[in-house]
Amino acid sequence: MDLTITTAQLAAAAADVVRLVPGKLVDPVLGGLLLTADARGVVLAANDRERTARISCDALVHTEGQVLVPAKPLAETLRALDQPQVRLVVEGARLAIRAEGARFALPLLDVDLHPGVTEPPAPSGSVSATVFASALSTVATTAARDEALPIFTGVRVRSEGDKLVLRATDRYRMAIATIPWTPGPSTIDALIPATLLAEIGKQVVGDVWIGVDANRLSLAWEDMVVTTAVLDGTYLSESKLALSDFDTHVEADADALAGATRRVALYTDARGVISLEVGDSEVRLRTADRQTGEAEESVKATIDGGRTSPSYQARYLIDALRPFAGRRIQLAIQPGMRATVVTAVEGGEVDLRYIIMPMLPPKTG
Amino acid sequence: MDLTITTAQLAAAAADVVRLVPGKLVDPVLGGLLLTADARGVVLAANDRERTARISCDALVHTEGQVLVPAKPLAETLRALDQPQVRLVVEGARLAIRAEGARFALPLLDVDLHPGVTEPPAPSGSVSATVFASALSTVATTAARDEALPIFTGVRVRSEGDKLVLRATDRYRMAIATIPWTPGPSTIDALIPATLLAEIGKQVVGDVWIGVDANRLSLAWEDMVVTTAVLDGTYLSESKLALSDFDTHVEADADALAGATRRVALYTDARGVISLEVGDSEVRLRTADRQTGEAEESVKATIDGGRTSPSYQARYLIDALRPFAGRRIQLAIQPGMRATVVTAVEGGEVDLRYIIMPMLPPKTG
């Protein structure tokens, strides 16, 4: 293999693949980047047996060929280069990375041990990358990080007519984003690792094509195709939540409420709980702890219905308000220990509902 | 105590004091902020028995008084406030922090248990804050972080006529900055904790007045006065280093050399060593490791004298080049395992010399 390529383009492609498929520590081959050069350019591919990524780049190929090299060292070398052009050339048991005045050489790994990258499932439909990324920025971060409960580390991706619904929960809160979907030949319903979707949300551009088969989901945009194994498990569905008894509706500015929550939260006890007292034209956030002191702050609000006044984990309320920054939100509150639903007063392209569970109120001083 | 003050001013003052005197976990009183309000305004003070900081702020004082409150919670509350004005008022056993729509209350600590803040040593002379901060940004980060060797966690601050010399070493490298000093009634020679000086370097403005007595050093600027206990120990002096046998001088662009070092350093073995081969009109950085591969890069340079080619810890060479960013540097190299001195080809207000020790060369592949 021998090719010349724009450093920035190859560096970006290698970095994207490494972030999508970080590799496994146990097996260097699964942390390898497979480079395949032919007349059309060079294809970078990775496969850790759960995820695959494949991206094609334009390159001036002098000699065709295929090599496997450690992915991260290659990506780091390319990222560090100032030189605009770079040449990749096999020299004995090394892949040399040559740039003006410099030569770096990585050991070749055994291509025959690599699983390769098989054809992805065909696309079932597509979404706009901007809207998809916006929805994922909230939904993918709501999933649990605790690997002991794999089912809660996933985002459920489901097509419903001309909508795509993205849902995640860690059991204490749930985010549900509904975005426009251009339906194709088949429907989608799969549970996908949230960490991968969070990274994908940072990379997507243009249109994103999504497809599924029996145990994989594929996402494709521009020159990139990613596949992932789907997670097992029947998923906590919204319909299992009691969401029928809203007696109090609060409308307020999301930023004002988040700011006040952040300040009052400095005074919570170890449980981190604050109470939201619903008044006539304001809500009052309040907490107290013998050690840390006490705090209360009022935020102007429009109140409709009853005066049910729940308590929440302050950090979950802050997380729930963050995606609505700059907008007015509605809290739909139920009596007792039943869920509160946060939505925007005026809808946008991403229709987002954020559900949080109330907590027992803070003990006062 | 009862006073009204601009939130931003008080927030900045409290944050500065907390960063200078982070307090001791063992004793909440030593993590307290002592607030003293009188007709002239309010003074914030902290003392953890090793360091003190005191800053005065303008305030509209309604009732004079003195209270001690937990410093970090107060600083965090003030930092989080959006409201432009804040009122501090004692309410029973609490200090209430009142802003529009909000009330926060911190428990009062026992003022009588606090050591207070005594008068600082009188100033011996002064330096320009900008030049002092620039020198500290290199010198304070060269000291060791290892608390097991307190002597190497210090910066030696010594006045020599109209110069102030700042020196630090972690035994593997040494930074020596010489800056203009406006001498006063006495001279200075003390060893000061580098972490405190690093923080001071971020805060100083205008002129900085420095004073010493038997076991304390004081630094004062604007409305702030800081004191610290001096460290014990006779300090590794430059004169004990063999710096007399320079046979090779290399002039090169600091950024080009640092960039190449950073790239080649990706290929070192666990020791992190790269070799610097001195040629006729370039230096060649080189390293190799059976596992990671091999790297070499050339940088244009003007060579004078011999061709002595030392090896260095790559990260120490990068640290040594960083303060010279954007400038041309000279490496003065000695044969054998003797120190190399890095200086700027053209001097600036801060006269900086960075000394690094060579290492045994990397084993090649």
Side-chain angles (χ1 to χ4, degrees):
Chain A
M1 197 180 84
D2 185 359
L3 60 88
T4 303
I5 191 167
T6 312
T7 310
Q9 192 199 357
L10 187 62
D16 284 350
V17 171
V18 165
R19 281 193 216 101
L20 292 166
V21 187
K24 307 273 182 182
L25 283 176
V26 288
D27 187 348
V29 164
L30 299 185
L33 196 66
L34 192 64
L35 300 169
T36 311
D38 63 19
R40 287 164 300 174
V42 62
V43 174
L44 280 61
N47 182 349
D48 69 2
R49 296 198 190 273
E50 285 177 8
R51 304 171 176 184
T52 72
R54 194 179 68 194
I55 186 167
S56 46
C57 300
D58 295 328
L60 182 61
V61 175
H62 314 296
T63 311
E64 300 188 358
Q66 187 174 55
V67 295
L68 183 68
V69 290
K72 281 181 192 164
L74 177 64
E76 282 175 17
T77 304
L78 293 168
R79 185 169 68 107
L81 285 176
D82 291 334
Q83 296 91 333
Q85 293 274 318
V86 65
R87 186 169 168 202
L88 302 188
V89 51
V90 173
E91 298 178 356
R94 295 273 196 253
L95 178 69
I97 304 150
R98 290 183 170 274
E100 200 195 333
R103 176 184 178 274
F104 308 92
L106 289 168
L108 297 179
L109 303 170
D110 189 346
V111 174
D112 296 335
L113 297 177
H114 194 267
V117 173
T118 53
E119 272 306 296
S124 303
S126 69
V127 289
S128 142
T130 332
V131 179
F132 189 50
S134 165
L136 286 177
S137 68
T138 299
V139 176
T141 54
T142 301
R145 279 161 195 82
D146 183 359
E147 297 282 334
L149 293 165
I151 190 177
F152 294 113
T153 63
V155 172
R156 189 179 181 187
V157 180
R158 184 182 154 94
S159 61
E160 298 178 2
D162 62 353
K163 300 287 178 193
L164 190 72
V165 184
L166 305 163
R167 261 189 206 90
T169 182
D170 63 1
R171 291 172 300 159
Y172 305 105
R173 63 243 174 96
M174 180 185 268
I176 305 139
T178 306
I179 60 174
W181 165 250
T182 307
S186 53
T187 59
I188 284 187
D189 189 2
L191 189 61
I192 304 305
T195 51
L196 176 62
L197 281 182
E199 177 55 37
I200 285 173
K202 292 177 195 154
Q203 294 194 14
V204 286
V205 286
D207 289 320
V208 182
W209 297 86
I210 308 181
V212 278
D213 63 15
N215 44 28
R216 290 184 306 160
L217 179 135
S218 65
L219 298 116
W221 64 94
E222 275 202 331
D223 301 315
M224 178 72 88
V225 186
V226 178
T227 73
T228 172
V230 301
L231 298 171
D232 278 335
T234 48
Y235 191 65
L236 179 65
S237 82
E238 213 182 329
S239 57
K240 290 187 190 149
L241 287 171
L243 293 176
S244 55
D245 193 21
F246 301 107
D247 69 345
T248 304
H249 290 90
V250 173
E251 258 188 50
D253 178 68
D255 295 341
L257 193 56
T261 305
R262 226 170 263 124
R263 289 185 282 275
V264 172
L266 296 172
Y267 288 76
T268 61
D269 63 9
R271 286 201 313 140
V273 176
I274 62 171
S275 68
L276 181 111
E277 295 176 11
V278 178
D280 289 335
S281 59
E282 62 175 31
V283 290
R284 181 171 290 260
L285 298 162
R286 193 193 287 266
T287 196
D289 175 62
R290 197 180 303 266
Q291 293 254 304
T292 55
E294 65 225 26
E296 57 180 71
E297 184 160 347
S298 303
V299 177
K300 277 186 199 140
T302 309
I303 313 297
D304 189 31
R307 295 291 179 272
T308 299
S309 294
S311 294
Y312 305 106
Q313 280 266 6
R315 64 194 173 98
Y316 288 160
L317 185 56
I318 291 166
D319 282 352
L321 295 169
R322 187 175 295 118
F324 302 102
R327 301 163 75 183
R328 278 185 75 77
I329 53 101
Q330 188 200 59
L331 300 176
I333 300 171
Q334 306 184 89
M337 296 301 283
R338 277 173 295 179
T340 295
V341 180
V342 187
T343 51
V345 170
E346 286 181 19
E349 269 197 303
V350 179
D351 171 28
L352 182 69
R353 305 205 303 144
Y354 206 105
I355 301 175
I356 51 176
M357 295 306 293
M359 304 286 289
L360 289 173
K363 289 185 213 102
T364 45
Chain B
M1 198 181 83
D2 185 358
L3 62 86
T4 304
I5 191 167
T6 311
T7 309
Q9 192 198 356
L10 187 62
D16 284 350
V17 171
V18 165
R19 281 192 218 102
L20 292 166
V21 187
K24 306 272 183 184
L25 283 177
V26 288
D27 187 349
V29 163
L30 299 185
L33 196 65
L34 192 66
L35 301 168
T36 310
D38 64 19
R40 287 165 301 175
V42 61
V43 173
L44 281 60
N47 182 349
D48 70 0
R49 296 197 191 273
E50 284 176 8
R51 302 171 178 186
T52 73
R54 194 179 69 193
I55 186 167
S56 45
C57 299
D58 295 328
L60 181 62
V61 176
H62 314 296
T63 311
E64 300 189 357
Q66 187 175 56
V67 295
L68 183 68
V69 290
K72 280 181 193 165
L74 177 65
E76 282 175 16
T77 304
L78 293 168
R79 186 169 68 106
L81 285 176
D82 290 335
Q83 296 89 334
Q85 293 274 319
V86 65
R87 186 168 167 202
L88 302 188
V89 52
V90 172
E91 298 177 357
R94 294 271 197 254
L95 177 70
I97 305 149
R98 289 183 171 275
E100 200 195 332
R103 176 184 178 275
F104 307 91
L106 290 169
L108 296 180
L109 303 170
D110 188 346
V111 174
D112 296 335
L113 297 177
H114 195 266
V117 173
T118 53
E119 274 305 298
S124 303
S126 69
V127 289
S128 142
T130 331
V131 178
F132 189 50
S134 165
L136 286 176
S137 69
T138 299
V139 176
T141 53
T142 302
R145 280 159 194 83
D146 183 358
E147 298 282 334
L149 292 165
I151 191 178
F152 294 114
T153 63
V155 173
R156 188 180 182 187
V157 180
R158 183 183 156 94
S159 61
E160 299 178 1
D162 62 353
K163 299 289 178 191
L164 190 72
V165 183
L166 305 163
R167 260 189 207 89
T169 181
D170 64 359
R171 292 173 300 162
Y172 306 105
R173 63 244 174 97
M174 179 185 268
I176 305 139
T178 305
I179 61 174
W181 165 250
T182 308
S186 53
T187 59
I188 284 188
D189 190 1
L191 190 61
I192 305 304
T195 52
L196 176 63
L197 281 182
E199 178 55 39
I200 285 173
K202 292 176 195 157
Q203 295 193 13
V204 286
V205 285
D207 288 321
V208 182
W209 297 85
I210 308 181
V212 278
D213 63 14
N215 45 29
R216 290 185 305 159
L217 179 135
S218 65
L219 298 115
W221 65 93
E222 274 201 333
D223 301 315
M224 179 73 88
V225 186
V226 178
T227 73
T228 172
V230 300
L231 298 171
D232 278 336
T234 48
Y235 191 66
L236 179 65
S237 80
E238 213 182 327
S239 58
K240 290 187 191 150
L241 288 171
L243 293 175
S244 55
D245 193 22
F246 301 107
D247 70 344
T248 305
H249 290 89
V250 173
E251 258 189 49
D253 178 68
D255 295 341
L257 193 56
T261 305
R262 224 171 264 125
R263 289 186 282 274
V264 172
L266 296 171
Y267 288 76
T268 61
D269 62 10
R271 287 200 313 141
V273 175
I274 63 172
S275 67
L276 182 111
E277 295 176 11
V278 178
D280 289 334
S281 59
E282 62 176 31
V283 289
R284 180 171 291 259
L285 298 162
R286 192 194 287 264
T287 196
D289 174 63
R290 197 179 303 266
Q291 293 256 303
T292 54
E294 65 224 28
E296 58 180 71
E297 185 161 346
S298 302
V299 177
K300 276 184 201 145
T302 310
I303 313 299
D304 189 32
R307 293 292 178 273
T308 299
S309 294
S311 294
Y312 304 106
Q313 280 266 6
R315 64 195 172 98
Y316 289 160
L317 185 56
I318 292 166
D319 283 351
L321 295 169
R322 188 176 293 117
F324 302 102
R327 301 162 75 184
R328 277 186 76 77
I329 53 101
Q330 188 200 61
L331 299 176
I333 300 170
Q334 305 184 91
M337 295 302 283
R338 278 173 293 179
T340 295
V341 180
V342 187
T343 50
V345 170
E346 286 180 19
E349 269 196 305
V350 178
D351 172 27
L352 181 69
R353 305 203 305 145
Y354 205 106
I355 301 175
I356 51 176
M357 296 304 294
M359 304 286 289
L360 290 173
K363 289 185 215 103
T364 45

